[in-house]
Amino acid sequence: MFLAIYWKILLFSKGDIYEVTTPDIEKLGFECECVGGGRIKHDPDAKTIHVYGYSQGYGRADHFVTCRLLKEKYPDYVKIDFSNDGY
């Protein structure tokens, strides 16, 4: 469940999504911790996803983990990669 929540939080670009979703997650009996953030550039027509950047408030997420989760979700995509460049 942690990995699904981690992935879901990373998909939102607003910095306050963690604060918005935490109460609902905690109602289910889970503890929450934001492990970082970033951005995702998704091109469904080309079947590519690029993960990059960081959150000013939470720092950089482990983009390797994010890409691993995305590859599980989108096994038919031709390219899912990341860089630590950019904001």
Coordinates of all heavy atoms in Angstrom, one line a residue:
M1 N 0.8 -1.2 0.0 CA 0.0 0.0 0.0 C 0.9 1.3 0.0 O 0.5 2.2 -0.6 CB -0.9 0.0 1.2 CG -1.9 1.1 1.2 SD -3.0 0.9 -0.2 CE -4.4 1.8 0.5
F2 N 2.0 1.2 0.7 CA 2.9 2.4 0.8 C 3.3 2.8 -0.6 O 3.3 4.0 -1.0 CB 4.1 2.1 1.6 CG 5.2 3.1 1.4 CD1 5.1 4.3 2.0 CD2 6.3 2.8 0.6 CE1 6.1 5.3 1.8 CE2 7.3 3.7 0.5 CZ 7.2 5.0 1.1
L3 N 3.7 1.9 -1.5 CA 4.1 2.2 -2.8 C 3.1 2.9 -3.7 O 3.3 3.8 -4.4 CB 4.7 1.0 -3.5 CG 5.9 0.4 -2.8 CD1 6.4 -0.9 -3.6 CD2 7.1 1.3 -2.8
A4 N 1.8 2.4 -3.5 CA 0.8 3.0 -4.3 C 0.5 4.4 -3.8 O 0.3 5.3 -4.6 CB -0.5 2.2 -4.2
I5 N 0.6 4.7 -2.5 CA 0.3 6.0 -2.0 C 1.5 6.9 -2.4 O 1.3 8.0 -2.8 CB 0.2 6.0 -0.5 CG1 -1.1 5.2 -0.1 CG2 0.2 7.4 0.1 CD1 -1.2 4.9 1.3
Y6 N 2.7 6.4 -2.4 CA 3.9 7.1 -2.8 C 3.8 7.6 -4.2 O 4.0 8.8 -4.5 CB 5.1 6.2 -2.6 CG 6.4 6.8 -3.1 CD1 7.2 7.6 -2.3 CD2 7.0 6.4 -4.3 CE1 8.4 8.1 -2.7 CE2 8.2 6.9 -4.7 CZ 8.9 7.7 -3.9 OH 10.1 8.2 -4.3
W7 N 3.3 6.7 -5.1 CA 3.2 7.0 -6.5 C 2.1 8.0 -6.7 O 2.2 9.0 -7.4 CB 2.9 5.7 -7.2 CG 2.7 5.9 -8.7 CD1 3.6 6.3 -9.6 CD2 1.5 5.7 -9.4 NE1 3.1 6.3 -10.9 CE2 1.8 5.9 -10.8 CE3 0.2 5.3 -9.0 CZ2 0.8 5.8 -11.7 CZ3 -0.7 5.2 -10.0 CH2 -0.4 5.4 -11.3
K8 N 1.0 7.9 -6.0 CA -0.2 8.8 -6.1 C 0.2 10.2 -5.7 O -0.1 11.1 -6.4 CB -1.3 8.3 -5.3 CG -2.6 9.2 -5.4 CD -3.7 8.6 -4.5 CE -4.9 9.6 -4.5 NZ -5.9 9.1 -3.6
I9 N 0.9 10.4 -4.7 CA 1.3 11.7 -4.2 C 2.2 12.3 -5.2 O 2.1 13.5 -5.5 CB 1.9 11.6 -2.8 CG1 0.9 11.3 -1.8 CG2 2.6 12.9 -2.4 CD1 1.4 11.0 -0.4
L10 N 3.1 11.6 -5.8 CA 4.0 12.2 -6.8 C 3.4 12.7 -8.0 O 3.9 13.5 -8.7 CB 5.1 11.1 -7.2 CG 6.1 10.9 -6.1 CD1 7.0 9.7 -6.5 CD2 7.0 12.1 -5.8
L11 N 2.2 12.1 -8.3 CA 1.5 12.5 -9.6 C 0.9 13.9 -9.5 O 0.6 14.5 -10.5 CB 0.4 11.5 -9.9 CG 0.9 10.2 -10.4 CD1 -0.2 9.2 -10.7 CD2 1.8 10.3 -11.6
F12 N 0.7 14.5 -8.4 CA 0.1 15.8 -8.2 C 1.2 16.9 -8.2 O 2.3 16.7 -7.6 CB -0.7 15.9 -6.9 CG -1.9 15.0 -7.0 CD1 -1.9 13.7 -6.5 CD2 -3.1 15.5 -7.5 CE1 -3.0 12.9 -6.5 CE2 -4.2 14.7 -7.5 CZ -4.2 13.4 -7.0
S13 N 0.9 18.0 -8.8 CA 1.9 19.0 -8.9 C 1.7 20.1 -7.8 O 2.6 20.9 -7.5 CB 1.9 19.7 -10.3 OG 0.6 20.3 -10.4
K14 N 0.6 20.1 -7.1 CA 0.4 21.1 -6.0 C 1.2 20.6 -4.8 O 1.1 19.5 -4.4 CB -1.1 21.2 -5.7 CG -1.8 21.9 -6.9 CD -3.2 22.2 -6.4 CE -3.9 22.9 -7.6 NZ -4.2 24.3 -7.4
G15 N 1.8 21.6 -4.2 CA 2.6 21.2 -3.0 C 1.8 20.8 -1.8 O 2.3 20.1 -0.9
D16 N 0.5 21.1 -1.8 CA -0.3 20.8 -0.6 C -1.0 19.5 -0.7 O -1.9 19.2 0.1 CB -1.3 22.0 -0.3 CG -2.2 22.2 -1.4 OD1 -2.1 21.6 -2.5 OD2 -3.1 23.0 -1.2
I17 N -0.8 18.7 -1.7 CA -1.5 17.5 -1.9 C -1.3 16.5 -0.7 O -2.2 15.8 -0.3 CB -1.2 16.8 -3.3 CG1 -2.2 15.6 -3.5 CG2 0.2 16.3 -3.3 CD1 -3.6 16.1 -3.7
Y18 N -0.1 16.6 -0.2 CA 0.2 15.7 1.0 C -0.7 16.0 2.1 O -1.3 15.2 2.7 CB 1.7 15.9 1.3 CG 2.1 15.1 2.5 CD1 2.1 13.7 2.5 CD2 2.4 15.7 3.7 CE1 2.5 13.0 3.6 CE2 2.8 15.0 4.9 CZ 2.8 13.6 4.8 OH 3.2 12.9 5.9
E19 N -0.8 17.3 2.4 CA -1.7 17.8 3.5 C -3.2 17.4 3.3 O -3.9 17.1 4.2 CB -1.5 19.3 3.8 CG -0.2 19.7 4.4 CD 0.9 19.8 3.4 OE1 0.7 19.8 2.2 OE2 2.1 19.9 3.9
V20 N -3.6 17.5 2.0 CA -4.9 17.2 1.7 C -5.3 15.7 1.8 O -6.3 15.3 2.2 CB -5.3 17.7 0.2 CG1 -6.6 17.2 -0.3 CG2 -5.2 19.2 0.2
T21 N -4.3 14.8 1.3 CA -4.6 13.4 1.3 C -4.3 12.7 2.6 O -4.9 11.6 2.9 CB -3.8 12.7 0.2 OG1 -2.4 13.0 0.4 CG2 -4.3 13.2 -1.2
T22 N -3.4 13.3 3.5 CA -3.0 12.6 4.7 C -4.2 12.2 5.6 O -4.2 11.1 6.1 CB -2.0 13.4 5.4 OG1 -0.8 13.6 4.6 CG2 -1.6 12.8 6.8
P23 N -5.1 13.1 5.9 CA -6.2 12.7 6.8 C -7.0 11.5 6.3 O -7.3 10.6 7.1 CB -7.1 13.9 6.8 CG -6.2 15.1 6.5 CD -5.2 14.5 5.5
D24 N -7.3 11.4 5.0 CA -8.0 10.2 4.4 C -7.2 9.0 4.6 O -7.8 7.9 4.8 CB -8.4 10.5 3.0 CG -9.4 11.6 2.8 OD1 -10.2 11.8 3.8 OD2 -9.4 12.2 1.8
I25 N -5.9 9.0 4.3 CA -5.0 7.9 4.4 C -4.9 7.4 5.9 O -5.0 6.2 6.2 CB -3.7 8.2 3.9 CG1 -3.8 8.4 2.3 CG2 -2.7 7.0 4.1 CD1 -2.5 9.0 1.7
E26 N -4.8 8.4 6.8 CA -4.7 8.0 8.2 C -6.0 7.4 8.8 O -6.0 6.6 9.7 CB -4.3 9.2 9.0 CG -2.8 9.6 8.8 CD -2.3 10.8 9.5 OE1 -3.2 11.6 9.9 OE2 -1.1 11.0 9.6
K27 N -7.2 7.8 8.2 CA -8.4 7.2 8.6 C -8.5 5.7 8.3 O -9.2 5.0 8.9 CB -9.6 7.9 7.9 CG -9.9 9.3 8.4 CD -11.1 9.9 7.6 CE -11.2 11.3 8.0 NZ -12.2 12.0 7.2
L28 N -7.7 5.3 7.3 CA -7.6 3.9 6.9 C -6.7 3.1 7.8 O -6.5 1.9 7.7 CB -7.2 3.8 5.5 CG -8.1 4.3 4.4 CD1 -7.5 4.3 3.0 CD2 -9.4 3.6 4.4
G29 N -6.0 3.8 8.8 CA -5.1 3.2 9.7 C -3.7 3.2 9.3 O -2.9 2.5 9.9
F30 N -3.3 3.9 8.3 CA -1.9 4.0 7.8 C -1.3 5.2 8.3 O -1.9 6.3 8.6 CB -1.9 4.0 6.3 CG -2.4 2.8 5.6 CD1 -3.7 2.8 5.1 CD2 -1.6 1.7 5.5 CE1 -4.2 1.6 4.4 CE2 -2.1 0.5 4.9 CZ -3.4 0.5 4.4
E31 N 0.0 5.2 8.5 CA 0.8 6.3 8.8 C 1.4 6.9 7.6 O 1.6 6.2 6.6 CB 2.0 6.0 9.7 CG 1.6 5.5 11.1 CD 2.8 5.2 12.0 OE1 3.9 5.6 11.7 OE2 2.6 4.5 13.0
C32 N 1.5 8.3 7.5 CA 2.0 8.9 6.3 C 3.3 9.7 6.6 O 3.5 10.2 7.6 CB 1.0 10.0 5.9 SG -0.6 9.3 5.4
E33 N 4.1 9.7 5.6 CA 5.4 10.4 5.6 C 5.7 10.8 4.1 O 5.8 9.9 3.3 CB 6.5 9.6 6.2 CG 7.8 10.3 6.1 CD 9.0 9.5 6.6 OE1 8.8 8.3 7.0 OE2 10.1 10.0 6.6
C34 N 5.9 12.0 3.9 CA 6.2 12.5 2.5 C 7.8 12.3 2.4 O 8.5 12.8 3.1 CB 5.9 13.9 2.3 SG 6.2 14.5 0.6
V35 N 8.2 11.5 1.4 CA 9.6 11.2 1.2 C 10.2 12.0 0.1 O 11.4 11.8 -0.3 CB 9.8 9.7 0.9 CG1 9.4 8.8 2.1 CG2 9.0 9.3 -0.3
G36 N 9.5 13.0 -0.4 CA 10.0 13.9 -1.4 C 9.0 14.1 -2.5 O 7.9 13.6 -2.5
G37 N 9.4 14.8 -3.5 CA 8.6 15.1 -4.6 C 9.3 15.3 -5.9 O 10.5 15.0 -6.0
G38 N 8.6 15.7 -6.9 CA 9.2 15.9 -8.2 C 8.1 16.1 -9.3 O 7.0 16.4 -8.9
R39 N 8.5 16.1 -10.5 CA 7.5 16.3 -11.6 C 7.6 15.1 -12.5 O 8.5 14.4 -12.6 CB 7.9 17.5 -12.4 CG 7.6 18.8 -11.5 CD 8.1 20.0 -12.3 NE 7.5 21.2 -11.7 CZ 7.8 21.7 -10.5 NH1 8.6 21.0 -9.7 NH2 7.3 22.8 -10.1
I40 N 6.5 14.9 -13.3 CA 6.4 13.9 -14.3 C 5.9 14.4 -15.6 O 4.8 15.1 -15.6 CB 5.4 12.8 -13.8 CG1 5.9 12.1 -12.5 CG2 5.2 11.7 -14.9 CD1 5.0 11.1 -11.9
K41 N 6.6 14.2 -16.6 CA 6.2 14.6 -18.0 C 5.7 13.3 -18.7 O 6.5 12.4 -18.9 CB 7.4 15.2 -18.8 CG 7.0 15.6 -20.2 CD 8.2 16.2 -20.9 CE 7.8 16.6 -22.3 NZ 8.9 17.2 -23.0
H42 N 4.5 13.2 -19.0 CA 3.8 12.0 -19.5 C 3.3 12.3 -20.9 O 2.6 13.2 -21.2 CB 2.7 11.7 -18.6 CG 2.0 10.4 -19.0 ND1 0.7 10.1 -18.6 CD2 2.4 9.4 -19.8 CE1 0.3 9.0 -19.1 NE2 1.3 8.5 -19.8
D43 N 3.8 11.5 -21.9 CA 3.3 11.6 -23.3 C 2.7 10.3 -23.6 O 3.4 9.3 -24.1 CB 4.5 11.9 -24.2 CG 4.0 12.2 -25.6 OD1 2.9 11.7 -26.0 OD2 4.8 12.8 -26.4
P44 N 1.3 10.1 -23.4 CA 0.7 8.9 -23.7 C 0.7 8.4 -25.2 O 0.7 7.2 -25.4 CB -0.7 9.1 -23.2 CG -0.9 10.5 -23.1 CD 0.4 11.1 -22.9
D45 N 0.8 9.4 -26.1 CA 0.8 9.0 -27.5 C 2.2 8.4 -27.9 O 2.2 7.4 -28.6 CB 0.6 10.3 -28.4 CG -0.8 10.8 -28.2 OD1 -1.8 10.0 -28.0 OD2 -1.0 12.0 -28.3
A46 N 3.2 8.9 -27.3 CA 4.6 8.4 -27.6 C 4.9 7.2 -26.6 O 5.9 6.6 -26.8 CB 5.6 9.5 -27.5
K47 N 4.1 7.1 -25.6 CA 4.3 6.0 -24.6 C 5.6 6.3 -23.8 O 6.4 5.3 -23.7 CB 4.1 4.6 -25.1 CG 2.7 4.3 -25.6 CD 2.6 2.8 -25.8 CE 1.1 2.6 -26.1 NZ 0.8 1.2 -26.0
T48 N 5.8 7.5 -23.4 CA 7.0 7.8 -22.6 C 6.6 8.6 -21.4 O 5.6 9.3 -21.3 CB 8.0 8.7 -23.5 OG1 7.3 9.9 -23.8 CG2 8.4 8.0 -24.7
I49 N 7.4 8.4 -20.3 CA 7.3 9.1 -19.1 C 8.7 9.5 -18.6 O 9.6 8.7 -18.6 CB 6.6 8.3 -18.0 CG1 5.2 7.9 -18.4 CG2 6.6 9.0 -16.7 CD1 4.5 6.9 -17.5
H50 N 8.8 10.8 -18.3 CA 10.1 11.3 -17.7 C 9.8 11.9 -16.4 O 9.0 12.8 -16.2 CB 10.7 12.4 -18.7 CG 12.0 12.9 -18.2 ND1 13.1 12.1 -18.1 CD2 12.3 14.1 -17.8 CE1 14.1 12.9 -17.7 NE2 13.7 14.1 -17.4
V51 N 10.5 11.4 -15.4 CA 10.4 11.9 -14.0 C 11.6 12.8 -13.7 O 12.8 12.4 -14.0 CB 10.4 10.7 -13.0 CG1 10.2 11.2 -11.6 CG2 9.2 9.8 -13.4
Y52 N 11.4 13.9 -13.1 CA 12.5 14.9 -12.8 C 12.2 15.8 -11.7 O 11.1 15.9 -11.2 CB 12.9 15.6 -14.1 CG 11.7 16.6 -14.6 CD1 11.8 17.9 -14.3 CD2 10.7 16.1 -15.3 CE1 10.8 18.8 -14.7 CE2 9.6 16.9 -15.7 CZ 9.7 18.2 -15.4 OH 8.7 19.1 -15.8
G53 N 13.2 16.6 -11.3 CA 13.0 17.7 -10.4 C 12.8 17.3 -8.9 O 13.1 16.2 -8.5
Y54 N 12.3 18.2 -8.1 CA 12.2 18.0 -6.7 C 11.1 19.0 -6.2 O 10.6 19.8 -6.8 CB 13.5 18.3 -6.0 CG 14.0 19.8 -6.2 CD1 13.7 20.7 -5.3 CD2 14.7 20.1 -7.3 CE1 14.1 22.0 -5.4 CE2 15.1 21.4 -7.5 CZ 14.8 22.4 -6.6 OH 15.2 23.7 -6.8
S55 N 10.7 18.8 -4.9 CA 9.8 19.6 -4.2 C 10.5 20.6 -3.4 O 11.5 20.2 -2.7 CB 8.9 18.8 -3.3 OG 8.2 19.6 -2.3
Q56 N 10.2 21.9 -3.5 CA 10.8 22.9 -2.6 C 10.6 22.6 -1.2 O 11.5 22.9 -0.3 CB 10.4 24.3 -3.0 CG 10.9 24.7 -4.3 CD 10.6 26.2 -4.6 OE1 9.6 26.7 -4.2 NE2 11.5 26.8 -5.4
G57 N 9.4 22.1 -0.8 CA 9.1 21.9 0.6 C 9.6 20.5 1.1 O 9.9 20.4 2.3
Y58 N 9.6 19.5 0.3 CA 9.9 18.2 0.7 C 11.2 17.6 0.2 O 11.6 16.5 0.5 CB 8.8 17.2 0.4 CG 7.5 17.6 1.1 CD1 6.5 18.2 0.4 CD2 7.3 17.4 2.5 CE1 5.3 18.5 1.0 CE2 6.2 17.7 3.1 CZ 5.1 18.3 2.4 OH 4.0 18.7 3.0
G59 N 11.9 18.3 -0.7 CA 13.1 17.8 -1.3 C 12.8 16.8 -2.5 O 11.7 16.7 -3.0
R60 N 13.8 16.1 -2.9 CA 13.7 15.2 -4.1 C 13.3 13.8 -3.6 O 13.9 13.2 -2.7 CB 15.1 15.1 -4.8 CG 15.1 14.3 -6.0 CD 16.4 14.3 -6.7 NE 17.2 15.5 -6.6 CZ 17.1 16.6 -7.3 NH1 16.1 16.6 -8.3 NH2 17.9 17.6 -7.2
A61 N 12.3 13.3 -4.3 CA 11.9 11.9 -4.1 C 13.0 11.0 -4.8 O 13.8 11.4 -5.6 CB 10.6 11.6 -4.7
D62 N 12.9 9.7 -4.4 CA 13.8 8.7 -5.1 C 13.2 8.4 -6.4 O 12.2 7.6 -6.5 CB 13.9 7.5 -4.2 CG 14.9 6.5 -4.7 OD1 15.2 6.5 -6.0 OD2 15.3 5.6 -4.0
H63 N 13.6 9.0 -7.5 CA 13.0 8.9 -8.8 C 13.2 7.5 -9.3 O 12.5 7.0 -10.2 CB 13.6 9.9 -9.8 CG 13.3 11.3 -9.4 ND1 12.1 11.7 -8.7 CD2 13.9 12.5 -9.6 CE1 12.1 13.0 -8.5 NE2 13.2 13.5 -9.1
F64 N 14.2 6.8 -8.8 CA 14.4 5.4 -9.2 C 13.2 4.5 -8.8 O 12.7 3.7 -9.6 CB 15.7 4.8 -8.6 CG 15.9 3.4 -9.0 CD1 16.5 3.0 -10.2 CD2 15.6 2.3 -8.1 CE1 16.7 1.7 -10.6 CE2 15.8 1.0 -8.5 CZ 16.3 0.7 -9.7
V65 N 12.7 4.8 -7.6 CA 11.6 4.1 -7.1 C 10.3 4.4 -7.9 O 9.5 3.6 -8.2 CB 11.3 4.4 -5.6 CG1 10.0 3.8 -5.1 CG2 12.5 3.8 -4.7
T66 N 10.2 5.7 -8.1 CA 9.0 6.2 -8.9 C 9.0 5.5 -10.3 O 8.0 5.0 -10.7 CB 9.1 7.7 -9.1 OG1 9.2 8.3 -7.8 CG2 7.9 8.2 -9.9
C67 N 10.1 5.4 -11.0 CA 10.2 4.8 -12.3 C 9.9 3.3 -12.2 O 9.2 2.8 -13.1 CB 11.6 5.1 -12.9 SG 11.8 6.7 -13.5
R68 N 10.4 2.7 -11.2 CA 10.1 1.2 -11.0 C 8.6 1.0 -10.9 O 8.0 0.1 -11.5 CB 10.8 0.7 -9.8 CG 10.6 -0.8 -9.6 CD 11.5 -1.4 -8.5 NE 11.5 -0.6 -7.3 CZ 10.6 -0.8 -6.3 NH1 9.7 -1.7 -6.4 NH2 10.7 -0.1 -5.2
L69 N 7.9 1.9 -10.1 CA 6.4 1.7 -10.0 C 5.7 2.1 -11.3 O 4.7 1.4 -11.6 CB 6.0 2.7 -8.9 CG 6.4 2.3 -7.5 CD1 6.1 3.5 -6.5 CD2 5.8 1.0 -7.0
L70 N 6.2 3.1 -12.0 CA 5.6 3.4 -13.3 C 5.8 2.3 -14.3 O 4.8 2.0 -15.1 CB 6.1 4.7 -13.8 CG 5.7 6.0 -13.0 CD1 6.6 7.2 -13.4 CD2 4.2 6.2 -13.2
K71 N 6.9 1.7 -14.3 CA 7.2 0.6 -15.2 C 6.2 -0.6 -14.9 O 5.8 -1.3 -15.9 CB 8.6 0.1 -15.2 CG 9.5 1.1 -15.8 CD 11.0 0.8 -15.7 CE 11.9 1.8 -16.3 NZ 13.3 1.5 -16.2
E72 N 5.9 -0.8 -13.7 CA 4.9 -1.9 -13.3 C 3.5 -1.5 -13.8 O 2.8 -2.4 -14.3 CB 4.9 -2.1 -11.8 CG 6.1 -2.7 -11.2 CD 6.1 -2.8 -9.7 OE1 5.0 -2.7 -9.1 OE2 7.2 -3.1 -9.1
K73 N 3.2 -0.3 -13.7 CA 1.9 0.2 -14.1 C 1.7 0.3 -15.6 O 0.6 0.1 -16.2 CB 1.6 1.6 -13.5 CG 0.3 2.2 -13.8 CD -0.9 1.5 -13.2 CE -2.2 2.2 -13.5 NZ -3.3 1.5 -13.1
Y74 N 2.8 0.7 -16.3 CA 2.8 0.9 -17.8 C 3.8 0.0 -18.4 O 4.8 0.5 -19.0 CB 3.1 2.3 -18.1 CG 2.1 3.3 -17.5 CD1 2.4 4.0 -16.3 CD2 0.8 3.5 -18.1 CE1 1.4 4.8 -15.8 CE2 -0.1 4.4 -17.5 CZ 0.2 5.0 -16.4 OH -0.7 5.9 -15.8
P75 N 3.7 -1.3 -18.4 CA 4.7 -2.2 -19.0 C 4.9 -2.1 -20.5 O 5.9 -2.5 -21.0 CB 4.2 -3.6 -18.6 CG 2.7 -3.5 -18.4 CD 2.5 -2.1 -17.9
D76 N 3.9 -1.6 -21.2 CA 4.0 -1.4 -22.6 C 4.6 -0.1 -23.1 O 4.7 0.1 -24.3 CB 2.6 -1.6 -23.2 CG 1.6 -0.5 -22.8 OD1 1.7 -0.1 -21.6 OD2 0.7 -0.2 -23.6
Y77 N 5.0 0.7 -22.2 CA 5.6 2.0 -22.5 C 7.0 1.8 -23.1 O 7.8 0.9 -22.6 CB 5.6 3.0 -21.4 CG 4.4 3.8 -21.3 CD1 3.1 3.3 -21.5 CD2 4.5 5.2 -21.1 CE1 2.0 4.0 -21.4 CE2 3.3 6.0 -21.1 CZ 2.1 5.4 -21.2 OH 1.0 6.2 -21.2
V78 N 7.4 2.6 -24.0 CA 8.7 2.4 -24.7 C 9.9 3.0 -23.9 O 11.0 2.6 -24.0 CB 8.8 2.9 -26.1 CG1 7.8 2.1 -27.0 CG2 8.4 4.4 -26.2
K79 N 9.5 4.0 -23.1 CA 10.6 4.7 -22.3 C 10.0 5.3 -21.0 O 9.1 6.1 -21.1 CB 11.3 5.8 -23.1 CG 12.4 6.4 -22.5 CD 13.1 7.4 -23.4 CE 14.3 8.1 -22.8 NZ 14.9 9.1 -23.6
I80 N 10.6 4.9 -19.9 CA 10.3 5.5 -18.6 C 11.6 5.7 -18.0 O 12.3 4.8 -17.7 CB 9.4 4.6 -17.7 CG1 8.0 4.4 -18.4 CG2 9.2 5.2 -16.4 CD1 7.1 3.4 -17.7
D81 N 11.9 7.0 -17.8 CA 13.3 7.3 -17.2 C 13.2 8.5 -16.3 O 12.1 9.1 -16.1 CB 14.3 7.6 -18.4 CG 13.9 8.9 -19.2 OD1 12.9 9.5 -18.9 OD2 14.7 9.2 -20.1
F82 N 14.3 8.9 -15.7 CA 14.4 10.0 -14.8 C 15.7 10.8 -14.9 O 16.7 10.2 -15.4 CB 14.1 9.6 -13.4 CG 15.3 8.9 -12.7 CD1 16.2 9.6 -12.0 CD2 15.4 7.5 -12.8 CE1 17.3 8.9 -11.4 CE2 16.4 6.8 -12.2 CZ 17.4 7.5 -11.5
S83 N 15.7 12.0 -14.4 CA 16.9 12.7 -14.2 C 16.7 13.5 -12.9 O 15.6 13.8 -12.5 CB 17.2 13.7 -15.4 OG 16.4 14.8 -15.3
N84 N 17.8 13.9 -12.3 CA 17.7 14.7 -11.1 C 17.9 16.2 -11.4 O 18.1 17.0 -10.5 CB 18.8 14.3 -10.1 CG 18.5 12.9 -9.5 OD1 17.3 12.7 -9.2 ND2 19.4 12.1 -9.3
D85 N 17.8 16.5 -12.7 CA 17.9 17.9 -13.1 C 16.6 18.6 -13.0 O 15.6 18.0 -13.1 CB 18.5 18.0 -14.6 CG 19.8 17.4 -14.7 OD1 20.6 17.5 -13.7 OD2 20.1 16.9 -15.8
G86 N 16.6 19.9 -12.9 CA 15.4 20.7 -13.0 C 14.7 20.9 -11.7 O 15.0 20.2 -10.7
Y87 N 13.8 21.8 -11.7 CA 12.9 22.0 -10.5 C 11.6 21.4 -10.7 O 10.9 21.2 -11.6 CB 12.8 23.5 -10.2 CG 11.7 23.8 -9.3 CD1 11.6 23.4 -8.0 CD2 10.6 24.6 -9.8 CE1 10.5 23.7 -7.2 CE2 9.5 24.8 -9.0 CZ 9.5 24.4 -7.7 OH 8.4 24.7 -6.9

